[in-house]
Amino acid sequence: FEIMLFFSTHEINKMSEYAARNISHTDFILSGFSGSREWKQLLFIPFFLLFVMSIIANSMIIFIILSHRALHSPMYLLICVMAFIDMVMPTFCVPHILFNLLFNWNHISLMGCLVQMFCILFFGSMQATVFLWMALDRFYAICTPLHYNEHMRISAFLKFVIIPLLRNAALISAIVGLARSLSYCQSNEIKHCFCEHMALVTLACGPIYINNVVGLCGAFFILAADFLLIVFSYVRIFVSLFKSGRSSQKAFSTCITHIIVMFVTLMFSLTSFLSYRIKNDLSSNSHMAISTMYLLVPACLNPIIYGIRTKEIRQQVIKVMKCGKCPHSTDVRQFK
């Protein structure tokens, strides 16, 4: 009787384990930041202020560039594209983070998680690609000024737009598609405040070797490839500037501005990417803070850097701020 009881118990355990492994979760819980409710509500304030600041600052940059024909040159239009990416990318996950901190709304469906992941990865990859376009624009303007208009025509520049866009979309789709094909039977709790790729796939039952390889390929063929091309372009630019002497101080200043913005963005991007792929002693809160700062800090700093260091944009910002007082003063004069 004891032998029969042992085998029946063993079979029941095997059946329950088999059943568990055939269940794939379709609804997940984002664990978010750990700590007391009061601490989470306090953390809500800086994240909310950074989010609002990024929306307002980037909206102002976009409005100023699009509303002034003098700023419709390729360099400023690329700054406008970068401001659009900095404004849009946080909107896919930061509101969910804020609701989680304030109201503990932490549920997300698998499809919602995959959509969020695709948007963050795609717009994140587009940041590096826009930096490459900016480097090419400065390269043609400084190294081949006589042929600048020819190179920057829409028909000629289109090859630098379509190929990177297709590359980014294909690799990001592969990463998200492979994550969709996994069976998530271990747990439905994502130890993050948004749907980060590695935080989700580590919940899968089967092997995730292919997911890791494709993720690293995406980082290499997008971030690393664009970064190497950017470095090559700026090396050529600085060689050309040093040969030309002091007459190119404006061009030199413009390049330094782009490099500062690139350094800030890539530093946070690389730190966020490596924190999940290299063994470290960082807590889950530290991982989430780094990832959230990658979404918010460059989005806040980039428009400020462009606004301070780019004379034409700075002048237009001052004009817009002064014009805010104009209607009131005009109405007063008319009343008198």
Side-chain angles (χ1 to χ4, degrees), residues 141-158:
I142 296 169
C143 298
T144 59
L146 297 178
H147 301 284
Y148 175 76
N149 292 330
E150 179 183 345
H151 288 302
M152 294 305 294
R153 286 202 320 267
I154 294 178
S155 57
F157 197 73
L158 209 57

Side-chain angles (χ1 to χ4, degrees), residues 54-318:
S54 68
I55 297 295
I56 294 174
N58 287 292
S59 299
M60 180 175 288
I61 293 291
I62 293 170
F63 170 76
I64 287 171
I65 292 175
L66 294 182
S67 60
H68 294 85
R69 293 186 61 86
L71 300 179
H72 285 187
S73 63
M75 183 183 76
Y76 295 109
L77 292 177
L78 288 173
I79 292 175
C80 183
V81 173
M82 178 57 70
F84 175 77
I85 293 172
D86 286 337
M87 181 181 68
V88 169
M89 193 165 72
T91 60
F92 290 108
C93 61
V94 174
H96 198 285
I97 295 172
L98 295 175
F99 282 121
N100 192 351
L101 289 171
L102 203 59
F103 305 112
N104 202 30
W105 292 359
N106 54 8
H107 287 270
I108 190 168
S109 65
L110 176 60
M111 188 55 64
C113 186
L114 294 172
V115 170
Q116 188 184 83
M117 183 193 303
F118 177 86
C119 294
I120 293 171
L121 291 176
F122 180 75
F123 282 103
S125 67
M126 285 307 302
Q127 283 182 326
T129 303
V130 173
F131 287 141
L132 176 60
W133 293 342
M134 289 179 172
L136 288 173
D137 171 74
R138 292 300 86 201
F139 174 79
Y140 289 135
I142 296 169
C143 298
T144 59
L146 297 178
H147 301 284
Y148 175 76
N149 292 330
E150 179 183 345
H151 288 302
M152 294 305 294
R153 286 202 320 267
I154 294 178
S155 57
F157 197 73
L158 209 57
K159 61 180 179 289
F160 297 111
V161 175
I162 294 176
I163 295 174
L165 282 177
L166 292 176
R167 176 203 61 182
N168 295 0
L171 287 170
I172 300 304
S173 298
I175 292 171
V176 177
L178 286 171
R180 173 69 180 87
S181 66
L182 294 173
S183 179
Y184 299 98
C185 61
Q186 289 192 18
S187 172
N188 70 333
E189 183 180 2
I190 302 173
K191 296 187 180 300
H192 212 289
C193 53
F194 61 88
C195 285
E196 204 273 340
H197 175 240
M198 290 304 298
L200 175 65
V201 299
T202 50
L203 302 178
C205 305
I208 58 172
Y209 173 76
I210 297 177
N211 299 77
N212 284 325
V213 170
V214 175
L216 290 172
C217 287
F220 178 78
F221 288 109
I222 296 176
L223 295 178
D226 287 353
F227 179 74
L228 290 175
L229 291 172
I230 290 168
V231 170
F232 174 76
S233 299
Y234 279 109
V235 168
R236 292 284 305 274
I237 288 170
F238 285 125
V239 168
S240 178
L241 286 175
F242 287 131
K243 287 181 179 179
S244 64
R246 296 183 178 179
S247 59
S248 301
Q249 283 186 347
K250 182 179 178 181
F252 186 81
S253 177
T254 303
C255 291
I256 292 297
T257 301
H258 292 333
I259 290 172
I260 292 173
V261 172
M262 275 185 277
F263 176 77
V264 170
T265 304
L266 292 176
M267 180 183 67
F268 279 98
S269 175
L270 190 63
T271 306
S272 176
F273 177 81
L274 293 178
S275 64
Y276 270 91
R277 287 164 177 82
I278 296 177
K279 289 185 178 181
N280 53 70
D281 297 327
L282 291 175
S283 64
S284 59
N285 279 355
S286 300
H287 281 293
M288 287 181 278
I290 291 170
S291 299
T292 309
M293 289 301 100
Y294 159 63
L295 294 171
L296 287 173
V297 173
C300 293
L301 289 181
N302 291 352
I304 295 174
I305 295 170
Y306 285 127
I308 292 174
R309 290 192 57 87
T310 308
K311 180 181 176 181
E312 291 79 4
I313 294 178
R314 183 173 68 248
Q315 289 175 343
Q316 296 300 332
V317 169
I318 294 171

